[in-house]
Amino acid sequence: MIELKSPREDFSKLLPAALRDDFPILQQVVHDEHPLVFLDNAASTQRPRQVIEVLRRVYERDYANVHRGIHTLSERSTEQYEDAREKAREFIGAEKALEVIFTSGSTAGINLVARSWGDANVHAGDEIIVTTMEHHSNLVPWQQLAERSGAVLKHIPITDDGQLVLESLDSLLTERTKLVAVASVSNVLGTINPVADIARRAHAVGAVVLVDAAQSVPHYPTNVRELGADFLAFSGHKMLAPTGIGVLYGREQLLDAMPPFLGGGSMINRVWLDRFTPAELPAKFEAGTPPIAPAIALGAAIDYLNRIGLVNISRHEHELCRYAYARLREIEGLRILGPGPDERAGLLSFTLPEPHAHDIAQLLDERGIAVRAGHHCTWPLHDRLGISASTRASFYLYNTPAEVDLLAEVLAEIRERFRPKGRKRAAGPGKRP
Ligand code: PLP
């Protein structure tokens, strides 16, 4: 068994080693003897004590429905819920808190835009532009909108190393383009897309820009105004908060003009038997009882991330990813998907000639290493890359170089074990096909 040397000892100089102690879930061994190495952060992250404590406090002391009761607990919950909205506003540089809509996550936010803004504004013959690297959450809602409206869906292609072919954008953009929907960071390639540039060009033809920021808001400082985002969606569970909470940012002018999406309590101003008038923003888009405690805990997660500093977090992840890139490149036949180490966010997807991605993930799990395998909700991207599946290691603030070492060592063992019999190991780093 390869020992995981103290993950705290070689912790990045940018972050305090003690922050690992904030995450109770990381302090365990799996399969009886292996310290947990959690490298599945692009799927969902873990929560620090500080966030768990806030959830506990809310449920033990403050919880009641928001915006309804005139009693103490409802007032406390409402105040904390709206505080969390303010924290989210500041976190993404939005101008007004009413531009921050609480949703259940990125998928819900994107679908809200597709249904509400899309149905009202996109018509037969109009055009929607996405990219080949989108997560299904930023692809299927636009396919559905195109089907409902008769609009045309176009794609910005990618190069073999996973960069957008931006030269194609000028010919894709026309006066019929209504929307450009793009991920700020690819959840498979790690590519960091030049969103501000894309937005500038999209705005020049009058198109609206939606940014799927599920993989960037948790890791990088974000400013929706500098990005030029008209809409921007992200998920709390990918940034230390609970599941069931996310944010859709929308420019006030756009949100104001949009019809409500879900109907019910809270989203109305007045209801008669035959009609209703909608509430003001943001309540107009928050029908029903919202995820109260998760939203308050998202505020606590934002506090935590701000305390560590997103610049430090992104640098730490970048260092780890560069190191992982170099270590994994030593493994013969291992193909890393996406751009080089300097142009990517903190995640690495890869394939080996043998075994299959799912088997790799299972073998890693047997050694305590949690990674993701499959198409990662990017089937068209995997088609483009000519593969059916990949294995992904994704980093966050609590990961360490020692964990990268273990990943590389176990992967090298797996490679040796599945090497076709009689073939000698080639010298030097693995060639990328
Ligand atoms: N977009 C991207 C780029 C993602 O990586 C994910 C989740 O992995 C999503 C959207 C969907 O997020 P959620 O499942 O939280 O709605």
Side-chain angles (χ1 to χ4, degrees):
M1 164 182 152
I2 298 164
E3 286 293 330
L4 176 59
K5 290 160 217 112
S6 166
R8 289 189 53 169
E9 258 165 39
D10 61 358
F11 213 81
S12 152
K13 288 172 211 69
L14 294 162
L15 300 181
L19 77 76
R20 268 185 82 87
D21 301 340
D22 290 337
F23 294 82
I25 203 166
L26 299 179
Q27 321 298 325
Q28 63 179 300
V29 293
V30 289
H31 301 303
D32 296 334
E33 56 176 342
H34 300 291
L36 174 67
V37 173
F38 191 79
L39 301 179
D40 193 17
N41 296 291
S44 205
T45 59
Q46 302 299 348
R47 282 124 209 86
R49 278 179 218 288
Q50 290 84 339
V51 169
I52 298 167
E53 261 311 305
V54 165
L55 266 183
R56 225 163 69 98
R57 191 208 63 215
V58 170
Y59 283 128
E60 287 185 357
R61 212 194 67 180
D62 300 329
Y63 180 79
N65 214 330
V66 289
H67 298 139
R68 292 183 189 174
I70 311 179
H71 55 79
T72 307
L73 294 198
S74 178
E75 279 175 6
R76 272 193 213 153
S77 284
T78 303
E79 193 180 318
Q80 291 172 33
Y81 181 73
E82 291 305 325
D83 269 2
R85 194 190 308 279
E86 174 55 25
K87 286 174 187 175
R89 180 203 69 73
E90 200 183 353
F91 198 62
I92 58 170
E95 196 180 334
K96 298 182 180 174
L98 56 78
E99 296 175 315
V100 172
I101 313 291
F102 282 133
T103 63
S104 64
S106 307
T107 306
I110 296 168
N111 276 275
L112 190 163
V113 176
R115 287 278 170 179
S116 170
W117 178 88
D119 284 353
N121 291 285
V122 176
H123 307 292
D126 286 341
E127 294 165 0
I128 302 164
I129 299 178
V130 294
T131 81
T132 312
M133 67 172 78
E134 295 310 312
H135 188 284
H136 296 164
S137 291
N138 197 29
L139 178 59
V140 176
W142 309 121
Q143 293 173 343
Q144 292 173 307
L145 173 60
E147 209 174 294
R148 288 197 300 279
S149 63
V152 180
L153 193 59
K154 295 165 141 188
H155 309 95
I156 306 176
I158 59 166
T159 59
D160 288 344
D161 71 346
Q163 305 269 16
L164 290 178
V165 181
L166 279 179
E167 304 82 70
S168 69
L169 187 57
D170 285 333
S171 57
L172 287 170
L173 285 167
T174 73
E175 74 280 2
R176 296 232 57 175
T177 309
K178 283 292 169 74
L179 176 81
V180 177
V182 59
S184 37
V185 167
S186 159
N187 64 312
V188 172
L189 303 164
T191 314
I192 303 164
N193 288 323
V195 171
D197 179 37
I198 293 170
R200 195 179 37 75
R201 290 155 78 173
H203 288 154
V205 300
V208 159
V209 173
L210 177 138
V211 182
D212 173 356
Q215 298 293 348
S216 63
V217 165
H219 307 279
Y220 296 96
T222 299
N223 185 302
V224 287
R225 286 175 287 176
E226 283 169 16
L227 283 178
D230 298 301
F231 296 107
L232 180 139
F234 62 96
S235 305
H237 68 96
K238 293 184 195 290
M239 49 184 283
L240 312 179
T243 51
I245 182 69
V247 164
L248 172 70
Y249 159 80
R251 220 157 31 79
E252 181 181 8
Q253 198 189 354
L254 289 170
L255 291 176
D256 243 349
M258 282 159 55
F261 168 41
L262 297 176
S266 304
M267 51 69 71
I268 48 84
N269 177 33
R270 173 77 160 90
V271 183
W272 296 265
L273 268 182
D274 59 348
R275 71 204 143 89
F276 73 95
T277 51
E280 297 294 313
L281 293 173
K284 180 166 95 171
F285 291 109
E286 292 183 4
T289 299
I292 300 163
I296 297 169
L298 172 66
I302 288 172
D303 287 343
Y304 188 93
L305 291 170
N306 281 337
R307 237 180 352 259
I308 308 281
L310 278 174
V311 169
N312 292 331
I313 292 169
S314 56
R315 283 196 191 136
H316 167 76
E317 291 168 2
H318 189 64
E319 265 184 25
L320 271 187
C321 197
R322 275 178 66 89
Y323 182 52
Y325 195 97
R327 290 292 321 258
L328 266 56
R329 285 265 293 175
E330 289 166 4
I331 300 168
E332 188 220 348
L334 188 143
R335 174 188 175 194
I336 296 175
L337 310 178
D342 294 328
E343 296 147 309
R344 61 164 57 234
L347 63 91
L348 277 178
S349 302
F350 56 89
T351 59
L352 279 174
E354 291 289 338
H356 186 274
H358 284 123
D359 297 324
I360 297 173
Q362 190 174 342
L363 290 163
L364 289 170
D365 175 64
E366 285 172 15
R367 306 293 283 275
I369 304 171
V371 295
R372 181 84 181 260
H375 52 63
H376 316 293
C377 298
T378 57
W379 216 318
L381 172 62
H382 278 68
D383 288 343
R384 163 65 181 84
L385 298 171
I387 52 177
S388 60
S390 57
T391 308
R392 179 181 70 194
S394 49
F395 308 108
Y396 209 17
L397 68 173
Y398 36 66
N399 292 121
T400 69
E403 293 179 320
V404 171
D405 284 335
L406 189 71
L407 172 73
E409 284 160 31
V410 178
L411 278 174
E413 278 182 18
I414 293 170
R415 176 68 182 124
E416 275 311 303
R417 188 168 144 197
F418 286 84
R419 183 182 303 285
K421 300 242 175 323
R423 272 197 55 204
K424 279 235 166 82
R425 191 190 186 291
K431 283 255 183 321
R432 295 176 71 188

Coordinates of all heavy atoms in Angstrom, one line a residue, residues 272-303:
W272 N -56.7 37.4 -8.0 CA -58.1 37.3 -8.0 C -58.4 35.9 -8.6 O -57.5 35.2 -8.9 CB -58.7 38.4 -9.0 CG -58.4 39.8 -8.5 CD1 -59.3 40.5 -7.8 CD2 -57.3 40.6 -8.8 NE1 -58.7 41.8 -7.5 CE2 -57.4 41.8 -8.1 CE3 -56.1 40.3 -9.4 CZ2 -56.5 42.8 -8.2 CZ3 -55.1 41.3 -9.5 CH2 -55.3 42.6 -8.9
L273 N -59.7 35.6 -8.6 CA -60.0 34.2 -9.1 C -59.6 34.0 -10.5 O -59.2 32.9 -10.9 CB -61.6 34.0 -9.0 CG -62.0 33.4 -7.6 CD1 -63.5 33.2 -7.6 CD2 -61.3 32.1 -7.3
D274 N -59.6 35.0 -11.3 CA -59.3 34.8 -12.7 C -57.9 35.4 -13.2 O -57.6 35.3 -14.4 CB -60.4 35.4 -13.6 CG -60.5 36.9 -13.3 OD1 -59.9 37.4 -12.3 OD2 -61.2 37.6 -14.1
R275 N -57.1 35.9 -12.3 CA -55.9 36.5 -12.7 C -55.0 36.9 -11.5 O -55.5 36.8 -10.4 CB -56.1 37.8 -13.6 CG -56.7 39.0 -12.8 CD -57.4 39.9 -13.7 NE -58.6 40.5 -12.9 CZ -58.5 41.6 -12.2 NH1 -57.4 42.3 -12.1 NH2 -59.6 41.9 -11.5
F276 N -53.8 37.3 -11.8 CA -52.9 37.7 -10.8 C -52.0 38.8 -11.3 O -51.9 39.0 -12.5 CB -52.0 36.5 -10.3 CG -50.9 36.2 -11.3 CD1 -49.6 36.7 -11.2 CD2 -51.2 35.3 -12.3 CE1 -48.6 36.3 -12.1 CE2 -50.2 35.0 -13.3 CZ -49.0 35.5 -13.2
T277 N -51.4 39.6 -10.4 CA -50.3 40.5 -10.8 C -49.0 40.0 -10.1 O -49.1 39.6 -8.9 CB -50.6 41.9 -10.4 OG1 -50.9 42.0 -9.0 CG2 -51.7 42.5 -11.3
P278 N -47.9 40.0 -10.8 CA -46.7 39.4 -10.2 C -46.1 40.3 -9.1 O -46.2 41.6 -9.2 CB -45.7 39.2 -11.4 CG -46.2 40.1 -12.4 CD -47.7 40.4 -12.2
A279 N -45.3 39.7 -8.3 CA -44.5 40.5 -7.2 C -43.4 41.2 -7.9 O -43.0 40.9 -9.1 CB -44.0 39.5 -6.2
E280 N -42.8 42.1 -7.2 CA -41.5 42.8 -7.6 C -40.4 41.8 -7.6 O -40.5 40.7 -7.0 CB -41.2 43.9 -6.7 CG -42.2 45.0 -6.6 CD -42.4 45.8 -7.9 OE1 -41.3 46.2 -8.4 OE2 -43.5 46.0 -8.4
L281 N -39.3 42.1 -8.2 CA -38.1 41.3 -8.1 C -37.5 41.4 -6.7 O -37.7 42.4 -6.1 CB -37.0 41.9 -9.1 CG -37.3 41.8 -10.6 CD1 -36.2 42.5 -11.4 CD2 -37.3 40.3 -11.0
P282 N -36.9 40.4 -6.2 CA -36.6 39.1 -6.9 C -37.8 38.1 -6.6 O -37.7 37.0 -7.2 CB -35.3 38.6 -6.2 CG -35.4 39.2 -4.8 CD -36.2 40.5 -4.9
A283 N -38.8 38.4 -5.8 CA -39.8 37.5 -5.4 C -40.6 36.9 -6.6 O -41.0 35.8 -6.6 CB -40.8 38.2 -4.4
K284 N -40.7 37.7 -7.7 CA -41.4 37.3 -8.9 C -40.9 35.9 -9.4 O -41.6 35.2 -10.0 CB -41.2 38.4 -10.0 CG -41.8 38.1 -11.3 CD -41.9 39.3 -12.2 CE -40.7 39.3 -13.1 NZ -40.9 40.4 -14.1
F285 N -39.6 35.6 -9.1 CA -39.0 34.4 -9.6 C -38.7 33.4 -8.5 O -38.0 32.4 -8.7 CB -37.8 34.7 -10.4 CG -38.0 35.4 -11.7 CD1 -37.7 36.7 -11.9 CD2 -38.7 34.7 -12.8 CE1 -38.0 37.4 -13.1 CE2 -39.0 35.4 -14.0 CZ -38.6 36.7 -14.1
E286 N -39.3 33.6 -7.3 CA -39.1 32.7 -6.2 C -40.4 32.2 -5.7 O -40.8 32.4 -4.6 CB -38.2 33.3 -5.1 CG -36.8 33.6 -5.6 CD -35.9 34.2 -4.5 OE1 -36.3 34.4 -3.3 OE2 -34.8 34.5 -4.9
A287 N -41.1 31.5 -6.6 CA -42.4 30.9 -6.2 C -42.3 29.9 -5.1 O -41.3 29.1 -5.1 CB -43.1 30.4 -7.4
G288 N -43.3 29.8 -4.2 CA -43.3 28.8 -3.2 C -42.3 29.0 -2.1 O -41.6 30.0 -2.1
T289 N -42.2 28.1 -1.1 CA -41.2 28.2 0.0 C -39.8 28.0 -0.6 O -39.6 26.9 -1.2 CB -41.5 27.2 1.1 OG1 -42.9 27.5 1.6 CG2 -40.5 27.3 2.2
P290 N -38.9 28.9 -0.4 CA -37.6 28.7 -1.0 C -36.7 27.8 -0.1 O -37.1 27.5 1.0 CB -37.0 30.2 -1.0 CG -37.7 30.8 0.1 CD -39.1 30.2 0.2
P291 N -35.5 27.5 -0.6 CA -34.6 26.7 0.3 C -33.9 27.6 1.3 O -32.8 28.1 1.1 CB -33.6 26.2 -0.7 CG -33.6 27.1 -1.9 CD -35.0 27.8 -1.9
I292 N -34.6 27.8 2.4 CA -34.3 28.9 3.4 C -32.9 28.6 4.0 O -32.0 29.4 3.9 CB -35.4 29.0 4.4 CG1 -36.7 29.4 3.7 CG2 -35.0 30.1 5.5 CD1 -37.9 29.2 4.6
A293 N -32.8 27.5 4.7 CA -31.6 27.2 5.4 C -30.4 27.0 4.5 O -29.3 27.5 4.7 CB -31.8 25.9 6.3
P294 N -30.6 26.3 3.3 CA -29.5 26.2 2.4 C -29.0 27.6 1.9 O -27.8 27.8 1.7 CB -30.1 25.4 1.2 CG -31.1 24.5 1.9 CD -31.7 25.4 2.9
A295 N -30.0 28.5 1.7 CA -29.6 29.9 1.2 C -28.7 30.6 2.3 O -27.7 31.2 2.0 CB -30.8 30.7 0.9
I296 N -29.2 30.4 3.6 CA -28.4 31.1 4.7 C -27.0 30.4 4.8 O -26.0 31.1 5.0 CB -29.2 31.0 6.0 CG1 -30.5 31.7 5.9 CG2 -28.4 31.5 7.2 CD1 -31.5 31.5 7.0
A297 N -27.0 29.1 4.5 CA -25.7 28.4 4.6 C -24.8 28.8 3.4 O -23.6 28.8 3.5 CB -25.9 26.9 4.6
L298 N -25.4 29.1 2.3 CA -24.7 29.6 1.1 C -23.9 30.9 1.5 O -22.8 31.1 1.2 CB -25.5 29.9 -0.1 CG -24.9 30.6 -1.3 CD1 -23.8 29.7 -1.9 CD2 -25.9 30.9 -2.4
G299 N -24.7 31.7 2.3 CA -24.0 33.0 2.8 C -22.8 32.6 3.7 O -21.8 33.3 3.6
A300 N -22.9 31.6 4.5 CA -21.8 31.2 5.3 C -20.7 30.6 4.5 O -19.5 30.9 4.8 CB -22.2 30.1 6.3
A301 N -21.0 29.9 3.4 CA -19.9 29.4 2.5 C -19.2 30.6 1.8 O -18.0 30.5 1.7 CB -20.6 28.5 1.5
I302 N -20.0 31.6 1.4 CA -19.4 32.8 0.8 C -18.4 33.4 1.8 O -17.3 33.8 1.5 CB -20.4 33.7 0.3 CG1 -21.1 33.1 -0.9 CG2 -19.9 35.1 0.0 CD1 -22.3 33.9 -1.5
D303 N -18.9 33.6 3.1 CA -18.0 34.1 4.1 C -16.7 33.4 4.2 O -15.6 33.9 4.3 CB -18.7 34.1 5.5 CG -19.8 35.1 5.6 OD1 -19.9 36.0 4.8 OD2 -20.7 34.9 6.5

